[in-house]
Amino acid sequence: MEGVQVPLRNQPKFYLGGDTDTEDTDTDDTDTKSTDFLNLLTFGLWGKLGRLTHYAVDAVLISTILAGMRRSTGLTFNTERVSFGETKEANKWIEKYLGVGEWVMDQSVAIAGSSGWFQRTR
């Protein structure tokens, strides 16, 4: 049975199973070279872009879950309990953040409602 080749980022390629004589230790991968070049051009920020995108998507998902809770149960996040000093700046940012979840929920419901895959039961 042939082994499955698994290339790892910044690691030599190796085979799972199969013959050990066919091991390929070539580390000059074009994907690694392009990633290194993008890191050089963006002063090292390219490697962190994926992590930042991941955190942003997670934040939008949490906001969307809170919007769904608000719509289905009526429970809303109390922004008055979050305060950083005398300013209400944090409350405005939280309201904007929750508004993103509301928008995503609106768009999701509109797309699902216009497709044939979902039907209304109420």
Side-chain angles (χ1 to χ4, degrees), residues 23-84:
E23 202 169 295
D24 184 13
T25 58
D26 184 20
T27 59
D28 290 332
D29 205 11
T30 57
D31 185 40
T32 305
K33 286 181 181 178
S34 64
T35 303
D36 290 342
F37 181 67
L38 286 171
N39 266 334
L40 180 66
L41 287 178
T42 59
F43 302 108
L45 295 177
W46 184 258
K48 298 188 182 16
L49 186 63
R51 184 178 297 164
L52 180 66
T53 303
H54 177 64
Y55 290 152
V57 169
D58 286 349
V60 169
L61 287 175
I62 291 169
S63 178
T64 305
I65 289 169
L66 290 173
M69 283 177 51
R70 183 179 136 313
R71 290 180 183 198
S72 64
T73 65
L75 292 172
T76 59
F77 186 76
N78 188 5
T79 59
E80 296 301 320
R81 293 201 53 172
V82 178
S83 62
F84 299 105

Side-chain angles (χ1 to χ4, degrees), residues 6-28:
V6 180
L8 297 175
R9 176 176 248 154
N10 298 330
Q11 296 287 329
K13 293 179 185 176
F14 66 98
Y15 290 89
L16 293 177
D19 294 355
T20 58
D21 297 336
T22 59
E23 202 169 295
D24 184 13
T25 58
D26 184 20
T27 59
D28 290 332

